[in-house]
Amino acid sequence: QVQLVESGGGLVQPGGSLRLSCAASGSIFRLYVMGWYRQAPGKQRELVATISSGGIINYADSVKGRFTISRDYAKSTVDLQMNSLNAEDTAVYYCNARHPALILNYWGQGTQVTVSS
């Protein structure tokens, strides 16, 4: 099993930056696809970015060129660097771990990101 804890959320002005971090514990996650998703009030949860154990990265079109996902195997963390933030980025951001072959999917509790002037 995998436990995920997000941190780094907060209030930022448009054009600003935030760095989110997800710490994994409880089990190894080296073989998992790690990702960040977000959900705004009244909207469905959507993919932000994923990174596989092989380094394959996928970004949502809305964040390409602005966000960067990375993982640190030594620290068992996955980060999301968010630049040029705008109001549309306001949401609760969730860390996700998905096994590439088994029906195993884990979620963190989420961290609030609010972009407002």
Side-chain angles (χ1 to χ4, degrees), residues 1 7 11-12 28 32 66 74 92 96 98 101 103 117:
Q1 60 179 0
S7 63
L11 176 65
V12 64
I28 62 171
Y32 283 72
R66 299 189 298 121
V92 176
N96 171 262
R98 177 176 60 81
I103 308 301
S117 60

Side-chain angles (χ1 to χ4, degrees), residues 2-85:
V2 176
Q3 298 181 55
L4 307 172
V5 180
E6 305 96 333
S7 63
L11 176 65
V12 64
Q13 294 186 350
S17 299
L18 283 175
R19 188 177 183 89
L20 306 182
S21 183
C22 172
S25 63
S27 181
I28 62 171
F29 77 117
R30 183 175 62 84
L31 298 179
Y32 283 72
V33 177
M34 303 299 299
W36 286 95
Y37 294 73
R38 66 187 183 185
Q39 185 169 23
K43 299 181 66 177
Q44 295 183 329
R45 187 172 299 185
E46 65 177 359
L47 180 147
V48 176
T50 61
I51 180 169
S52 74
S53 61
I56 299 175
I57 295 175
N58 180 45
Y59 293 105
D61 289 340
S62 60
V63 307
K64 286 182 179 178
R66 299 189 298 121
F67 291 9
T68 303
I69 189 171
S70 61
R71 64 193 299 169
D72 188 326
Y73 291 100
K75 297 180 179 180
S76 297
T77 58
V78 57
D79 289 1
L80 183 70
Q81 178 65 47
M82 306 184 294
N83 299 325
S84 301
L85 288 164

